[in-house]
Amino acid sequence: MASIGKILRRTFLIGSAAIVGGVAFGVYYVNRPAKNPLKPGDGEAALNPFILIDQNGVTLFAPRAEMGQGVKTTWAALIAEELDVDLDQITVLHGPAAAAYYNSAMIGESLPNKGYDVSNFQHNLGEALGVIGKVLSLQVTGGSTSMKDGFERMRAAGASARETLKQAAADRLGLDRDQLQTASGQVIAPDGTRIDYTDLVSDVAQLEPIEAPLRDPSEWRYLGRSQPRLDMVEKATGTAEFAVDVRLPGMKFASVRMNPKLGGPMNGYDDSAAKAMPGVEEIVNLETGVAVIATNTWLANQAVEAIDVDWGEAPYPPETDAIFAEIARAFDTDANSTMRDDGDVSTAPEGAIIVEAEYSLPYLAHATMEPMNATALYSDGRLEFWGGNQAPTFMQMKVAEAAGLDTEAVEVHTTYLGGGFGRRAEFDFGVIATKVAMAMPGVPVQTTWTREEDMRHDFYRPGAMARMRGAVKDGKAVLIDGKVASQSCTQQAMQRMTGMPGAGPDKVLVEGFFNQPYAVPNYRMSGHIADLSIPVGFWRSVGNSHNGFFHETFIDEMAHAAGRDPLEFRLELMRTEHAPSAGCLEAVRDMSGWTGKTPDDVGRGVAMTYSFGTPVAQVIEVVDEDGTIRISKAWIACDMGLALDPENVKAQMFGGMMYGLSAACFGEITFADGEVEQFNFPDYDAMRMHTAPQVEVKVLETNRFMGGAGEPGTPPSMPALGNALFDLTGERARSLPLSKQFNLLV
């Protein structure tokens, strides 16, 4: 992503500065548009935040962070489709922190429906409520919402810009706008005269934007087809700027240590050894931790470790077993929610086979490849911030608060993210970087966490437990009664973001649990919140990540209790409930050649999870090779409703599955004496190239509405693997990681 220096060379500034010779376009379907962060100079017009056309070409200000999911490319395609420019004619930059870049899709996702059963009215209501995101300054990349958010808005912005450019050309040529055509960044007259968009900037700046209808999909050139990733060359050549790559004149480097007993106080410290180290320039008391500013990062790391700190105790049980005992106690409290309560689960039908199981999943770290880091410059009552983040407006507000500044005095530069997964939706690393920089006013300071500090100070995917009771009769599921207990990510996040505790039914806690498309007549699913102070947060697919395992493992247990093929058992329950979900199961059945029977040294498992508007089915195959179990093959089918870039969707499904398999096989955060026991990747391993399966992905498009792609591949991977191991070994996995129960290839 271009730096601010590169932006300046493009002759315009972001925020309060001028756009010299440029014009910005776009459309909002709201009565009172949010303030445009692109400010025009004299004689220029900045009509909207998304598209800037100046003498150098077309620039898209993308409001969603690029963290490997391909949003940069697909948002550019949305613009190009209506603006009639080639993809390589668009420069994509991340927009500044501004309410105008609010996410219009997130509010609708919180409505209390199952998703797959949403009516047209509910869908339209969700879209209408999206404008609340503007009021909340909800500039957030998350929830697999980027394409849902941008699909209409970006095309409308491109169409408006196209027609306004045509009008400027029509006025110059003395023609009607309808007589003109556009292609490859030019307006074309009937006599063949061509005018570059860049030559129309001064003319179009005087016009009001023209709203225009969107083209029929049959006319699309880019959407629905796979496009070359706009960020690929930068990343392949090492020129892409991640936060850790930021370099500014006179920069200093810092490292940080916080209490390993999370949330505990710092009673005091002795920094004499660190101060004596050459190159150490400042020791910063962060109240709950310490930081060292030095001439380079390695020295800062060594110096901060040399500080002798007296840490206070953690505000939660010190050992893992005691923590999970507290989670189990949540089952004895009133349910926070019962978002599905069909029929009567109090009594099983006469003659039914009862199936009961209890499951437990560990806390998990995000383990982003790029550890937490940010650069800040505090000078003359202003703050500049550089960092990969998923919520620029919230980051702006929180670092402003830490610096004692108005938000208008803070400028946030969002770089590429070296992994997000929800971790960079938090702002702790930004607040720490700000406090560190304030110790050296006028000097840019980059604060980088060590891998160990990052691993041991996360906002973890919470540990979770489930208690399941079901009944099968005549080969069919007739009853499911499930309870899940966990800490609430939503309530904690609300407290951190707003200072107010979350309240009411927590849909995130039970997503992937209550909203699965199975036609079971007696079906109740409840969520119980565990009262613990371990910091937890949104982890790729959030509640679905544990509930997918609970639900789909239990469905598998019910299928075997009924003496049925696990895939056909699911299909029978699903066909009348949600055809697209059933279609995904049928697709992986056909792709894998599923027969329900496997050789002695081969196991196959299936799972299907509906999440973020997208059903995803997976079949995973494992093989026993002289006592070592290897994951050999995987088949994935998803139904996106509309796949704007099919190959990118496939990449997201593959990546989501691999993230889930890593967690299933190896992921576990444990506690001893109040401290996280895992320090680095040797303690928190992931799938490697030699342990990864061969993968085939099929993208379907029968769903009524567009679904998300970034997260839905994760939830079904864990139960599909566990079910495959049961098929191979006859041992049922009711807890993770699987490496503790099976001899997996590492």
Side-chain angles (χ1 to χ4, degrees), residues 41-68:
D42 292 339
E44 281 79 44
L47 305 181
N48 207 268
F50 299 116
I51 302 173
L52 177 85
I53 302 174
D54 65 6
Q55 290 82 3
N56 295 287
V58 177
T59 299
L60 164 63
F61 286 91
R64 302 294 159 258
E66 176 59 72
M67 48 188 172

PDB file of all heavy atoms in Angstrom, residues 41-68:
ATOM      1  N   GLY A  41      -9.505  21.780  -2.395  1.00  0.00           N
ATOM      2  CA  GLY A  41      -8.938  23.124  -2.362  1.00  0.00           C
ATOM      3  C   GLY A  41      -9.780  24.049  -3.220  1.00  0.00           C
ATOM      4  O   GLY A  41     -10.843  23.671  -3.728  1.00  0.00           O
ATOM      5  N   ASP A  42      -9.301  25.272  -3.399  1.00  0.00           N
ATOM      6  CA  ASP A  42     -10.050  26.233  -4.206  1.00  0.00           C
ATOM      7  C   ASP A  42     -10.216  25.717  -5.633  1.00  0.00           C
ATOM      8  O   ASP A  42      -9.263  25.290  -6.282  1.00  0.00           O
ATOM      9  CB  ASP A  42      -9.308  27.568  -4.232  1.00  0.00           C
ATOM     10  CG  ASP A  42      -9.302  28.238  -2.859  1.00  0.00           C
ATOM     11  OD1 ASP A  42     -10.175  27.886  -2.037  1.00  0.00           O
ATOM     12  OD2 ASP A  42      -8.413  29.067  -2.621  1.00  0.00           O
ATOM     13  N   GLY A  43     -11.457  25.765  -6.117  1.00  0.00           N
ATOM     14  CA  GLY A  43     -11.722  25.379  -7.494  1.00  0.00           C
ATOM     15  C   GLY A  43     -11.825  23.892  -7.731  1.00  0.00           C
ATOM     16  O   GLY A  43     -11.971  23.473  -8.881  1.00  0.00           O
ATOM     17  N   GLU A  44     -11.731  23.070  -6.680  1.00  0.00           N
ATOM     18  CA  GLU A  44     -11.867  21.621  -6.824  1.00  0.00           C
ATOM     19  C   GLU A  44     -13.146  21.150  -6.134  1.00  0.00           C
ATOM     20  O   GLU A  44     -13.708  21.868  -5.311  1.00  0.00           O
ATOM     21  CB  GLU A  44     -10.661  20.883  -6.230  1.00  0.00           C
ATOM     22  CG  GLU A  44      -9.436  20.885  -7.149  1.00  0.00           C
ATOM     23  CD  GLU A  44      -8.696  22.202  -7.079  1.00  0.00           C
ATOM     24  OE1 GLU A  44      -8.499  22.731  -5.973  1.00  0.00           O
ATOM     25  OE2 GLU A  44      -8.343  22.722  -8.147  1.00  0.00           O
ATOM     26  N   ALA A  45     -13.568  19.937  -6.496  1.00  0.00           N
ATOM     27  CA  ALA A  45     -14.757  19.360  -5.869  1.00  0.00           C
ATOM     28  C   ALA A  45     -14.441  17.946  -5.405  1.00  0.00           C
ATOM     29  O   ALA A  45     -13.925  17.143  -6.175  1.00  0.00           O
ATOM     30  CB  ALA A  45     -15.922  19.336  -6.850  1.00  0.00           C
ATOM     31  N   ALA A  46     -14.732  17.668  -4.164  1.00  0.00           N
ATOM     32  CA  ALA A  46     -14.607  16.313  -3.631  1.00  0.00           C
ATOM     33  C   ALA A  46     -16.018  15.867  -3.260  1.00  0.00           C
ATOM     34  O   ALA A  46     -16.520  16.191  -2.199  1.00  0.00           O
ATOM     35  CB  ALA A  46     -13.700  16.297  -2.411  1.00  0.00           C
ATOM     36  N   LEU A  47     -16.645  15.140  -4.173  1.00  0.00           N
ATOM     37  CA  LEU A  47     -18.063  14.854  -4.018  1.00  0.00           C
ATOM     38  C   LEU A  47     -18.351  13.634  -3.157  1.00  0.00           C
ATOM     39  O   LEU A  47     -19.480  13.449  -2.728  1.00  0.00           O
ATOM     40  CB  LEU A  47     -18.694  14.681  -5.394  1.00  0.00           C
ATOM     41  CG  LEU A  47     -18.474  15.864  -6.363  1.00  0.00           C
ATOM     42  CD1 LEU A  47     -19.163  15.586  -7.676  1.00  0.00           C
ATOM     43  CD2 LEU A  47     -18.974  17.163  -5.753  1.00  0.00           C
ATOM     44  N   ASN A  48     -17.350  12.766  -2.929  1.00  0.00           N
ATOM     45  CA  ASN A  48     -17.544  11.588  -2.103  1.00  0.00           C
ATOM     46  C   ASN A  48     -16.203  10.952  -1.780  1.00  0.00           C
ATOM     47  O   ASN A  48     -15.221  11.212  -2.467  1.00  0.00           O
ATOM     48  CB  ASN A  48     -18.474  10.593  -2.802  1.00  0.00           C
ATOM     49  CG  ASN A  48     -19.217   9.736  -1.794  1.00  0.00           C
ATOM     50  OD1 ASN A  48     -18.745   8.663  -1.449  1.00  0.00           O
ATOM     51  ND2 ASN A  48     -20.339  10.229  -1.317  1.00  0.00           N
ATOM     52  N   PRO A  49     -16.139  10.112  -0.767  1.00  0.00           N
ATOM     53  CA  PRO A  49     -14.842   9.623  -0.304  1.00  0.00           C
ATOM     54  C   PRO A  49     -14.184   8.538  -1.149  1.00  0.00           C
ATOM     55  O   PRO A  49     -13.016   8.260  -0.936  1.00  0.00           O
ATOM     56  CB  PRO A  49     -15.169   9.047   1.087  1.00  0.00           C
ATOM     57  CG  PRO A  49     -16.498   9.593   1.452  1.00  0.00           C
ATOM     58  CD  PRO A  49     -17.217   9.807   0.179  1.00  0.00           C
ATOM     59  N   PHE A  50     -14.883   7.914  -2.083  1.00  0.00           N
ATOM     60  CA  PHE A  50     -14.377   6.679  -2.656  1.00  0.00           C
ATOM     61  C   PHE A  50     -13.472   6.847  -3.876  1.00  0.00           C
ATOM     62  O   PHE A  50     -12.435   6.209  -3.968  1.00  0.00           O
ATOM     63  CB  PHE A  50     -15.546   5.749  -3.007  1.00  0.00           C
ATOM     64  CG  PHE A  50     -16.366   5.356  -1.824  1.00  0.00           C
ATOM     65  CD1 PHE A  50     -17.693   5.728  -1.715  1.00  0.00           C
ATOM     66  CD2 PHE A  50     -15.807   4.616  -0.800  1.00  0.00           C
ATOM     67  CE1 PHE A  50     -18.443   5.374  -0.614  1.00  0.00           C
ATOM     68  CE2 PHE A  50     -16.548   4.253   0.309  1.00  0.00           C
ATOM     69  CZ  PHE A  50     -17.879   4.635   0.407  1.00  0.00           C
ATOM     70  N   ILE A  51     -13.896   7.644  -4.839  1.00  0.00           N
ATOM     71  CA  ILE A  51     -13.160   7.726  -6.100  1.00  0.00           C
ATOM     72  C   ILE A  51     -12.569   9.109  -6.266  1.00  0.00           C
ATOM     73  O   ILE A  51     -13.279  10.106  -6.179  1.00  0.00           O
ATOM     74  CB  ILE A  51     -14.072   7.425  -7.303  1.00  0.00           C
ATOM     75  CG1 ILE A  51     -14.695   6.040  -7.178  1.00  0.00           C
ATOM     76  CG2 ILE A  51     -13.291   7.525  -8.606  1.00  0.00           C
ATOM     77  CD1 ILE A  51     -15.727   5.750  -8.241  1.00  0.00           C
ATOM     78  N   LEU A  52     -11.284   9.152  -6.524  1.00  0.00           N
ATOM     79  CA  LEU A  52     -10.607  10.391  -6.864  1.00  0.00           C
ATOM     80  C   LEU A  52     -10.062  10.274  -8.275  1.00  0.00           C
ATOM     81  O   LEU A  52      -9.401   9.281  -8.607  1.00  0.00           O
ATOM     82  CB  LEU A  52      -9.459  10.679  -5.901  1.00  0.00           C
ATOM     83  CG  LEU A  52      -8.677  11.936  -6.288  1.00  0.00           C
ATOM     84  CD1 LEU A  52      -9.345  13.177  -5.735  1.00  0.00           C
ATOM     85  CD2 LEU A  52      -7.229  11.860  -5.848  1.00  0.00           C
ATOM     86  N   ILE A  53     -10.364  11.258  -9.110  1.00  0.00           N
ATOM     87  CA  ILE A  53      -9.771  11.327 -10.443  1.00  0.00           C
ATOM     88  C   ILE A  53      -8.974  12.616 -10.514  1.00  0.00           C
ATOM     89  O   ILE A  53      -9.519  13.705 -10.296  1.00  0.00           O
ATOM     90  CB  ILE A  53     -10.842  11.295 -11.550  1.00  0.00           C
ATOM     91  CG1 ILE A  53     -11.680  10.018 -11.445  1.00  0.00           C
ATOM     92  CG2 ILE A  53     -10.191  11.373 -12.930  1.00  0.00           C
ATOM     93  CD1 ILE A  53     -12.853   9.964 -12.401  1.00  0.00           C
ATOM     94  N   ASP A  54      -7.687  12.486 -10.782  1.00  0.00           N
ATOM     95  CA  ASP A  54      -6.848  13.664 -10.951  1.00  0.00           C
ATOM     96  C   ASP A  54      -6.006  13.475 -12.210  1.00  0.00           C
ATOM     97  O   ASP A  54      -6.252  12.562 -12.996  1.00  0.00           O
ATOM     98  CB  ASP A  54      -5.993  13.925  -9.705  1.00  0.00           C
ATOM     99  CG  ASP A  54      -4.968  12.833  -9.439  1.00  0.00           C
ATOM    100  OD1 ASP A  54      -4.830  11.922 -10.275  1.00  0.00           O
ATOM    101  OD2 ASP A  54      -4.314  12.891  -8.389  1.00  0.00           O
ATOM    102  N   GLN A  55      -5.006  14.323 -12.393  1.00  0.00           N
ATOM    103  CA  GLN A  55      -4.207  14.267 -13.612  1.00  0.00           C
ATOM    104  C   GLN A  55      -3.421  12.969 -13.749  1.00  0.00           C
ATOM    105  O   GLN A  55      -2.941  12.642 -14.838  1.00  0.00           O
ATOM    106  CB  GLN A  55      -3.228  15.455 -13.646  1.00  0.00           C
ATOM    107  CG  GLN A  55      -3.897  16.805 -13.871  1.00  0.00           C
ATOM    108  CD  GLN A  55      -4.472  17.376 -12.590  1.00  0.00           C
ATOM    109  OE1 GLN A  55      -4.332  16.805 -11.513  1.00  0.00           O
ATOM    110  NE2 GLN A  55      -5.152  18.516 -12.703  1.00  0.00           N
ATOM    111  N   ASN A  56      -3.310  12.217 -12.650  1.00  0.00           N
ATOM    112  CA  ASN A  56      -2.543  10.974 -12.686  1.00  0.00           C
ATOM    113  C   ASN A  56      -3.400   9.732 -12.858  1.00  0.00           C
ATOM    114  O   ASN A  56      -2.864   8.636 -12.968  1.00  0.00           O
ATOM    115  CB  ASN A  56      -1.728  10.847 -11.398  1.00  0.00           C
ATOM    116  CG  ASN A  56      -0.685  11.942 -11.290  1.00  0.00           C
ATOM    117  OD1 ASN A  56       0.316  11.937 -11.987  1.00  0.00           O
ATOM    118  ND2 ASN A  56      -0.946  12.910 -10.424  1.00  0.00           N
ATOM    119  N   GLY A  57      -4.720   9.878 -12.845  1.00  0.00           N
ATOM    120  CA  GLY A  57      -5.563   8.716 -13.047  1.00  0.00           C
ATOM    121  C   GLY A  57      -6.635   8.569 -11.982  1.00  0.00           C
ATOM    122  O   GLY A  57      -7.060   9.539 -11.355  1.00  0.00           O
ATOM    123  N   VAL A  58      -7.076   7.328 -11.770  1.00  0.00           N
ATOM    124  CA  VAL A  58      -8.176   7.012 -10.867  1.00  0.00           C
ATOM    125  C   VAL A  58      -7.624   6.368  -9.599  1.00  0.00           C
ATOM    126  O   VAL A  58      -6.828   5.424  -9.662  1.00  0.00           O
ATOM    127  CB  VAL A  58      -9.181   6.045 -11.533  1.00  0.00           C
ATOM    128  CG1 VAL A  58     -10.287   5.660 -10.564  1.00  0.00           C
ATOM    129  CG2 VAL A  58      -9.761   6.671 -12.792  1.00  0.00           C
ATOM    130  N   THR A  59      -8.046   6.881  -8.461  1.00  0.00           N
ATOM    131  CA  THR A  59      -7.667   6.307  -7.171  1.00  0.00           C
ATOM    132  C   THR A  59      -8.924   5.918  -6.408  1.00  0.00           C
ATOM    133  O   THR A  59      -9.868   6.699  -6.317  1.00  0.00           O
ATOM    134  CB  THR A  59      -6.851   7.311  -6.327  1.00  0.00           C
ATOM    135  OG1 THR A  59      -5.654   7.637  -7.030  1.00  0.00           O
ATOM    136  CG2 THR A  59      -6.486   6.706  -4.979  1.00  0.00           C
ATOM    137  N   LEU A  60      -8.925   4.702  -5.925  1.00  0.00           N
ATOM    138  CA  LEU A  60      -9.998   4.223  -5.061  1.00  0.00           C
ATOM    139  C   LEU A  60      -9.522   4.287  -3.619  1.00  0.00           C
ATOM    140  O   LEU A  60      -8.476   3.724  -3.278  1.00  0.00           O
ATOM    141  CB  LEU A  60     -10.369   2.778  -5.416  1.00  0.00           C
ATOM    142  CG  LEU A  60     -11.189   1.998  -4.373  1.00  0.00           C
ATOM    143  CD1 LEU A  60     -12.550   2.626  -4.151  1.00  0.00           C
ATOM    144  CD2 LEU A  60     -11.326   0.537  -4.783  1.00  0.00           C
ATOM    145  N   PHE A  61     -10.286   4.965  -2.774  1.00  0.00           N
ATOM    146  CA  PHE A  61     -10.030   4.946  -1.342  1.00  0.00           C
ATOM    147  C   PHE A  61     -10.882   3.840  -0.743  1.00  0.00           C
ATOM    148  O   PHE A  61     -12.079   4.016  -0.532  1.00  0.00           O
ATOM    149  CB  PHE A  61     -10.358   6.308  -0.720  1.00  0.00           C
ATOM    150  CG  PHE A  61      -9.346   7.352  -1.044  1.00  0.00           C
ATOM    151  CD1 PHE A  61      -9.499   8.156  -2.163  1.00  0.00           C
ATOM    152  CD2 PHE A  61      -8.223   7.516  -0.248  1.00  0.00           C
ATOM    153  CE1 PHE A  61      -8.561   9.109  -2.482  1.00  0.00           C
ATOM    154  CE2 PHE A  61      -7.276   8.475  -0.563  1.00  0.00           C
ATOM    155  CZ  PHE A  61      -7.429   9.274  -1.678  1.00  0.00           C
ATOM    156  N   ALA A  62     -10.244   2.699  -0.505  1.00  0.00           N
ATOM    157  CA  ALA A  62     -10.970   1.536   0.003  1.00  0.00           C
ATOM    158  C   ALA A  62     -11.111   1.641   1.512  1.00  0.00           C
ATOM    159  O   ALA A  62     -10.117   1.821   2.218  1.00  0.00           O
ATOM    160  CB  ALA A  62     -10.224   0.257  -0.358  1.00  0.00           C
ATOM    161  N   PRO A  63     -12.315   1.514   2.020  1.00  0.00           N
ATOM    162  CA  PRO A  63     -12.514   1.635   3.464  1.00  0.00           C
ATOM    163  C   PRO A  63     -12.296   0.345   4.233  1.00  0.00           C
ATOM    164  O   PRO A  63     -12.427   0.335   5.446  1.00  0.00           O
ATOM    165  CB  PRO A  63     -13.976   2.084   3.570  1.00  0.00           C
ATOM    166  CG  PRO A  63     -14.623   1.545   2.362  1.00  0.00           C
ATOM    167  CD  PRO A  63     -13.585   1.488   1.283  1.00  0.00           C
ATOM    168  N   ARG A  64     -11.967  -0.757   3.560  1.00  0.00           N
ATOM    169  CA  ARG A  64     -11.745  -2.022   4.240  1.00  0.00           C
ATOM    170  C   ARG A  64     -10.267  -2.413   4.138  1.00  0.00           C
ATOM    171  O   ARG A  64      -9.638  -2.247   3.104  1.00  0.00           O
ATOM    172  CB  ARG A  64     -12.616  -3.132   3.656  1.00  0.00           C
ATOM    173  CG  ARG A  64     -14.095  -2.832   3.713  1.00  0.00           C
ATOM    174  CD  ARG A  64     -14.663  -2.769   5.124  1.00  0.00           C
ATOM    175  NE  ARG A  64     -15.922  -2.011   5.125  1.00  0.00           N
ATOM    176  CZ  ARG A  64     -16.034  -0.758   5.523  1.00  0.00           C
ATOM    177  NH1 ARG A  64     -14.986  -0.109   5.997  1.00  0.00           N
ATOM    178  NH2 ARG A  64     -17.186  -0.132   5.468  1.00  0.00           N
ATOM    179  N   ALA A  65      -9.750  -2.971   5.210  1.00  0.00           N
ATOM    180  CA  ALA A  65      -8.334  -3.308   5.289  1.00  0.00           C
ATOM    181  C   ALA A  65      -8.023  -4.541   4.454  1.00  0.00           C
ATOM    182  O   ALA A  65      -8.783  -5.515   4.444  1.00  0.00           O
ATOM    183  CB  ALA A  65      -7.943  -3.544   6.745  1.00  0.00           C
ATOM    184  N   GLU A  66      -6.882  -4.502   3.787  1.00  0.00           N
ATOM    185  CA  GLU A  66      -6.405  -5.657   3.028  1.00  0.00           C
ATOM    186  C   GLU A  66      -5.504  -6.486   3.941  1.00  0.00           C
ATOM    187  O   GLU A  66      -4.430  -6.050   4.347  1.00  0.00           O
ATOM    188  CB  GLU A  66      -5.620  -5.195   1.790  1.00  0.00           C
ATOM    189  CG  GLU A  66      -5.005  -6.334   0.983  1.00  0.00           C
ATOM    190  CD  GLU A  66      -6.028  -7.323   0.464  1.00  0.00           C
ATOM    191  OE1 GLU A  66      -6.780  -6.988  -0.467  1.00  0.00           O
ATOM    192  OE2 GLU A  66      -6.070  -8.449   1.005  1.00  0.00           O
ATOM    193  N   MET A  67      -5.986  -7.671   4.284  1.00  0.00           N
ATOM    194  CA  MET A  67      -5.203  -8.556   5.159  1.00  0.00           C
ATOM    195  C   MET A  67      -5.080  -9.950   4.552  1.00  0.00           C
ATOM    196  O   MET A  67      -5.096 -10.957   5.253  1.00  0.00           O
ATOM    197  CB  MET A  67      -5.812  -8.611   6.559  1.00  0.00           C
ATOM    198  CG  MET A  67      -7.300  -8.841   6.625  1.00  0.00           C
ATOM    199  SD  MET A  67      -7.893  -8.630   8.336  1.00  0.00           S
ATOM    200  CE  MET A  67      -9.663  -8.714   8.083  1.00  0.00           C
ATOM    201  N   GLY A  68      -5.018  -9.961   3.208  1.00  0.00           N
ATOM    202  CA  GLY A  68      -4.833 -11.218   2.508  1.00  0.00           C
ATOM    203  C   GLY A  68      -6.102 -11.774   1.903  1.00  0.00           C
ATOM    204  O   GLY A  68      -6.052 -12.761   1.161  1.00  0.00           O
TER     205      GLY A  68
END
